[in-house]
Amino acid sequence: MSEQPELLILSDGESPMSSVAPGLFSHYRLTEVNSVAEAISRLTGPNPPEYCLVPGHSNSITETIDCASLLAQLPDAVLKIDQYEQIVWANRAAHRLLNIPVNGEVSLPKLFDLWSQAQIVGPDFCPVNSVMATGKQAKTTVRLDEKSFFEFTVTPIPGNSPSGGKLLLATLRETSDEVLQQQKLDAVHQAGLDLGDLDREDVLDLSTHERVELLKSKLLYYTQELLEFDTVEIRIVDQETGHLKPLLDFGMDPTAATRELLASPQGNGVTGFVASTGKSYLCEDTTNDPLYLPGAAGAKSSLTVPLIRHDLILGTFNVESPQPGAFTATDLRFVELFCREVAIALNTLELLEVEKETSIAASTKRMLCEVADPVDEILSDTCWMFERFSAGDSETSDRIRRILNHTQDIRKLIRDNSVNCNAESVRSPKLGNAHPHLIGKRVLVVDMDVEVRKSAHEIMEQYDMTVDAVRTADEALRMVRTFAYHVVIADKSPPDMKGSEMFRSLREIHEHLPIMLMTGFGYDGEHTLVKCREMGMRKTLYKPFIVDQLIKSIEDAISNSTGSVTL
């Protein structure tokens, strides 16, 4: 036979228990108390009675007991303590949480004697002392273990403890979910800092493959350790073709990992839908979702989030689980936050790649400028040797011509090496692509001023032209006799002959060779420009060069040339 329910009877002093007992003994275990305090203590204790009987005319007593009963049902632990943290009273939740001894003991222990495993982590490390000092409420956080946290609130209340000290109301509200979520938010933020913590001096020395591997290792670590997902697939959108290229996959079926997908909402699974719309997608049940394509073996649910930077969809981040409905709205929130950091990291890598590309280009440009003048000197001197010593001696002629060819190859090798050293990188369009007719064209520049010759190299070689530069008219004539040029650009006043004589001599070597003379804004006492125009010169250039005008003049000269140039 089961134990009878307990009936607590609050005696009002006029109706003793004996007057009601005969009719109740057979149904209940009767307990009589003589004060409201006793009734409240029993009702809020660890083993409260099932029923309570109070005098019908004691409304205030009934309300008091009702309030005590509601207090006992609160999910938060509520305690009355004194200034020494001695527990005076505790509700039912406090009894369960702290394992408070049952009633009957002379005095209850101190709060933190019972809760010895608790550790106050701040911000207030002495909340009871703070309340005693200020008379105001104090709050702090208490940790039981790595995943259990409580908000500890202490409030002063009227009255004194049995020993005459001050009384305080203490509440313990579990905040584990809130604290853990905030910790995770902080961890996501820290992860983002780590993903973007790419030391430029170190990373610029890495190849594209090495950079990607560095990012992949970090992404996999944080996906598993921070987000606690066992499978992950990250794809990057090819902005030109719309293909979703695999960047990272872990725990995915090999067939799924290599599947060709497009950023399209139809026929490309959840990943294609997310990549095309920029919207996150929570698949609760893979067996009934029309968009889902098999990914991880045995997956029953998935979560896919876009990687977006400045409204540009860079790719997708996909995780899967063998459990249906495994991902919550909280998971979605954290993954979206994490993916913002991933997108920033991807963008940073791309910027670093462009920076590396720019650095290489700048370094190559400096190198070409440094070697330009010595190479030009070698070419000019070798041409002199060729004309002086190669006549009638085929072996000498062949050797000197090889020197000429190899010397010219030096600049080409430097330029080609800069292009090929990072072939996998995303390159910015070259200037030559905007002027395809200039690519591969050969220009001879004649000027005594080293800055003019240097400027010619810097400007024209950006458009994939080959530039030779000499100082004098005599050197220019030897170069034209030795090599074929598409255009000659010469100062109107060379140091060794009149400009008009140089023009005539160049035309005698190649009658259709386009020749443009350069001048400053000084007086032309020799009337060189007039004489040369009479001999067919169509264009005059002014120093210093204006890039757009120089490039257009070269293009016009080549397109208007009546004769072909064989190199």
Side-chain angles (χ1 to χ4, degrees), residues 396-425:
T396 300
S397 175
D398 290 342
R399 287 182 177 273
I400 294 177
R401 189 170 291 279
R402 280 202 300 272
I403 293 173
L404 288 171
N405 292 334
H406 291 325
T407 304
Q408 290 177 311
D409 288 341
I410 291 174
R411 286 177 297 201
K412 185 176 185 300
L413 288 172
I414 294 174
R415 187 185 300 111
D416 291 347
N417 185 63
S418 72
V419 172
N420 296 327
C421 68
N422 201 12
E424 295 181 359
S425 65

Side-chain angles (χ1 to χ4, degrees), residues 111-344:
L111 169 59
F112 285 99
D113 286 346
L114 284 174
W115 222 19
S116 58
Q117 74 273 31
Q119 178 185 3
I120 296 178
V121 295
D124 192 331
F125 291 90
C126 299
V128 173
N129 290 346
S130 297
V131 172
M132 296 303 299
T134 64
K136 297 180 180 179
Q137 185 184 83
K139 288 185 179 182
T140 194
T141 298
V142 176
R143 180 176 62 200
L144 294 188
D145 53 46
E146 291 300 319
K147 293 189 176 182
S148 298
F149 295 86
F150 288 81
E151 181 185 74
F152 182 35
T153 305
V154 183
T155 306
I157 57 175
N160 295 321
S161 68
S163 61
K166 295 294 184 181
L167 291 174
L168 307 169
L169 178 67
T171 59
L172 294 166
R173 181 176 69 88
E174 185 169 9
T175 56
S176 301
D177 289 344
E178 299 171 25
V179 172
L180 293 175
Q181 285 194 23
Q182 185 58 51
Q183 287 181 346
K184 202 166 186 179
L185 285 173
D186 294 340
V188 167
H189 176 66
Q190 187 60 44
L193 295 178
D194 183 46
L195 289 173
D197 186 18
L198 303 170
D199 188 279
R200 277 171 162 71
E201 293 185 1
D202 294 335
V203 176
L204 284 174
D205 292 333
L206 300 178
S207 67
T208 301
H209 176 73
E210 291 170 331
R211 294 182 189 193
V212 170
E213 290 302 312
L214 173 62
L215 178 62
K216 285 166 63 175
S217 66
K218 290 186 175 186
L219 288 174
L220 184 57
Y221 170 78
Y222 284 117
T223 299
Q224 294 177 322
E225 299 299 321
L226 174 59
L227 300 177
E228 300 180 347
F229 298 140
D230 294 326
T231 63
V232 60
E233 180 188 46
I234 300 177
R235 289 181 178 247
I236 303 301
V237 178
D238 185 319
Q239 301 299 330
E240 293 183 0
T241 66
H243 282 87
L244 289 164
K245 298 181 177 180
L247 174 68
L248 170 66
D249 68 270
F250 185 82
M252 301 294 290
D253 183 89
T255 302
T258 57
R259 179 188 293 130
E260 288 193 7
L261 295 175
L262 292 171
S264 173
Q266 301 296 329
N268 291 275
V270 173
T271 299
F273 174 83
V274 171
S276 62
T277 63
K279 298 178 181 179
S280 299
Y281 194 93
L282 184 59
C283 176
E284 299 281 2
D285 184 357
T286 59
T287 60
N288 294 317
D289 194 304
L291 283 180
Y292 181 79
L293 294 177
K300 295 295 190 298
S301 59
S302 69
L303 174 59
T304 310
V305 173
L307 303 172
I308 300 176
R309 180 66 173 162
H310 297 315
D311 297 327
L312 178 65
I313 301 174
L314 303 179
T316 59
F317 182 97
N318 176 61
V319 290
E320 305 196 359
S321 171
Q323 302 297 324
F327 303 104
T328 66
T330 301
D331 292 325
L332 175 60
R333 178 190 179 200
F334 282 121
V335 172
E336 287 181 336
L337 289 174
F338 182 68
C339 285
R340 293 181 193 176
E341 306 296 344
V342 174
I344 293 172

Side-chain angles (χ1 to χ4, degrees), residues 340-381:
R340 293 181 193 176
E341 306 296 344
V342 174
I344 293 172
L346 289 172
N347 186 65
T348 301
L349 277 183
E350 183 176 341
L351 291 176
L352 284 172
E353 190 60 41
V354 172
E355 183 179 334
K356 182 175 182 179
E357 179 75 15
T358 304
S359 177
I360 292 173
S363 177
T364 303
K365 182 178 179 180
R366 287 194 300 270
M367 187 182 301
L368 285 170
C369 289
E370 290 296 327
V371 304
D373 207 42
V375 168
D376 287 334
E377 291 274 9
I378 293 172
L379 287 173
S380 179
D381 290 344

Side-chain angles (χ1 to χ4, degrees), residues 5 9 51 54 184 260 293 305 332 415 443 483 490 521 536 564:
I9 301 176
Y51 303 99
V54 298
K184 202 166 186 179
E260 288 193 7
L293 294 177
V305 173
L332 175 60
R415 187 185 300 111
V443 180
F483 303 106
F521 293 94
S564 61

